[in-house]
Amino acid sequence: MTQSTLLTMDSLEDTAELVAEDPRSRELVELARRVAASEATVMLNGESGVGKEVYARFIHAHSLRAAGPFVAVNCAAIPENMLEAMLFGHERGAFTGAYESRPGKFELAEGGTLLLDEISEMDLSLQAKLLRVLQEREVERLGGRRPVQMDVRILATSNRNLMQAVADGQFREDLFYRLNVFPLVIPPLRERPGDILPLARRLIYIHGRGIDQARLSAAAAARLMDHTWPGNVRELDNVIQRAMILRDGEALDAAAIQFESMAPPEGVQTRSVPLAPRTENRRLGDSLRSREEQLILDALRVEDGSRKDAAARLGISPRTLRYKLARLRDAGVTIPY
């Protein structure tokens, strides 16, 4: 590792630092470090798996709020009827099943940083409530009678083009400008190739718990550099974990580098990776998922990218559609709109 690798080896759980060997990454880290010293709201954009949350943690760790809590909420993974209560908290009896009062994520992040991950997947009605909280700097629990003043820095992420989402009526324009005070766009891994091998070596170290002396061979490194990485750092993590299992001895050779649904390069002998049993049920499940994916993409094309109209065409709620689209993006599927 060189001095330009900002991710230290001192702790396996150190997410406050970043691997930044590529020139583009070094510039981005410097921007992140500068904005961290302010109280500005930061909007982190980039494809799924590029490391948006890692950058968010870096900003928190280098801010004046570093001693405070860092709280992250994945807006795409939480059902719509639960997200409001999770964010704002609730009093006992506020709704069916609310047997006790609970603070929301805003309250839990007091004095620190709240990350709203995949904010673009939030329902429009909840966006309006979030905007009021950000404007008034106070939050009121569901079923509560008095607002609570808050001292929280907001960071947000999205893998979508938010300006386009605003134009399509899928994201509030006023909330966009409230969040987009300082935008940071994280490039995909294929556009910062200088990070690939340092990241791979760091992941080997992590998955080896700092004890395993596994190392990349020159041929394996070449395979990693030749790949386009549609799944970004998350895909690289999967590939390294797989290679740690398939290797012979300490060296991770080219045969151990296995990509999803990719044939090995000519002349490289490989072993098959038993990622899933080949059963009729598995093939049926794959076929159904493929059919669902095609129906979703076809509906988006017919409705010119309108999530609301596509959801109506599919007979599902807009939030369910947003959740399914997030899953498709995570799987490396390109969403055309």
Side-chain angles (χ1 to χ4, degrees):
M1 293 284 181
T2 67
Q3 289 184 345
S4 57
T5 301
L6 299 180
L7 184 56
T8 66
M9 294 296 192
D10 296 335
S11 168
L12 295 176
E13 304 302 327
D14 185 1
T15 55
E17 300 293 343
L18 299 167
V19 171
E21 290 279 0
D22 192 89
R24 290 191 65 180
S25 295
R26 295 183 195 177
E27 292 176 3
L28 188 61
V29 166
E30 181 56 30
L31 280 176
R33 192 186 299 276
R34 293 178 67 177
V35 74
S38 73
E39 284 290 298
T41 301
V42 181
M43 185 72 224
L44 296 135
N45 279 97
E47 296 178 5
S48 293
V50 295
K52 295 186 289 294
E53 183 171 342
V54 176
Y55 272 88
R57 290 181 180 274
F58 176 90
I59 291 171
H60 171 72
H62 289 80
S63 73
L64 297 176
R65 297 175 176 268
F70 177 90
V71 178
V73 182
N74 188 330
C75 300
I78 302 171
E80 182 179 343
N81 60 347
M82 293 176 58
L83 185 56
E84 182 176 0
M86 181 171 289
L87 284 174
F88 307 140
H90 62 80
E91 298 293 350
R92 180 180 178 182
F95 51 84
T96 303
Y99 301 116
E100 59 182 1
S101 299
R102 289 190 179 180
K105 298 298 185 181
F106 277 97
E107 291 182 67
L108 295 175
E110 178 68 17
T113 303
L114 176 63
L115 172 64
L116 299 173
D117 196 18
E118 301 303 346
I119 184 70
S120 51
E121 305 308 315
M122 182 180 287
D123 184 78
L124 281 169
S125 62
L126 189 51
Q127 289 179 29
K129 296 178 182 179
L130 173 62
L131 177 65
R132 182 187 177 281
V133 170
L134 299 183
Q135 288 174 335
E136 303 298 328
R137 306 300 297 177
E138 61 183 29
V139 63
E140 187 172 320
R141 294 184 185 181
L142 299 185
R145 297 182 178 180
R146 62 179 181 85
V148 178
Q149 295 295 315
M150 66 174 194
D151 175 25
V152 177
R153 184 182 189 176
I154 303 298
L155 308 179
T157 78
S158 177
N159 57 20
R160 294 172 58 188
N161 183 330
L162 277 184
M163 292 190 71
Q164 186 60 51
V166 169
D168 293 341
Q170 297 162 5
F171 198 79
R172 291 182 63 102
E173 183 177 20
D174 44 9
L175 180 58
F176 168 75
Y177 285 112
R178 175 69 62 173
L179 295 171
N180 203 51
V181 176
F182 196 97
L184 280 180
V185 179
I186 304 173
L189 188 56
R190 61 184 173 274
E191 294 181 9
R192 43 188 175 105
D195 289 344
I196 294 173
L197 295 184
L199 277 167
R201 295 187 179 102
R202 174 59 179 169
L203 290 167
I204 290 171
Y205 181 87
I206 290 173
H207 295 303
R209 305 303 300 175
I211 301 172
D212 195 329
Q213 299 300 312
R215 63 184 184 278
L216 283 172
S217 70
R223 285 208 72 192
L224 294 177
M225 292 300 296
D226 287 341
H227 189 53
T228 56
W229 300 110
N232 294 296
V233 181
R234 188 175 294 128
E235 181 187 2
L236 176 60
D237 190 15
N238 291 344
V239 169
I240 293 301
Q241 290 190 62
R242 198 173 303 143
M244 296 285 283
I245 296 170
L246 295 176
R247 66 190 165 119
D248 287 324
E250 290 185 355
L252 300 183
D253 57 17
I257 304 299
Q258 298 284 319
F259 304 115
E260 287 86 351
S261 304
M262 283 192 62
E266 186 176 352
V268 174
Q269 299 296 318
T270 65
R271 296 177 293 276
S272 61
V273 184
L275 296 179
R278 295 182 60 81
T279 64
E280 290 301 321
N281 286 340
R282 172 65 64 178
R283 288 193 292 270
L284 176 59
D286 290 343
S287 176
L288 290 173
R289 283 191 292 273
S290 178
R291 177 59 178 159
E292 179 185 75
E293 172 186 323
Q294 193 57 53
L295 285 171
I296 290 172
L297 296 178
D298 287 346
L300 282 172
R301 292 189 183 96
V302 169
E303 302 298 343
D304 294 324
S306 169
R307 266 60 169 177
K308 180 179 179 181
D309 293 341
R313 175 175 288 273
L314 292 166
I316 59 178
S317 71
R319 181 166 183 84
T320 298
L321 177 59
R322 290 195 297 271
Y323 176 74
K324 290 180 179 295
L325 289 174
R327 293 285 299 273
L328 290 177
R329 291 191 193 95
D330 286 344
V333 176
T334 300
I335 307 300
Y337 297 94

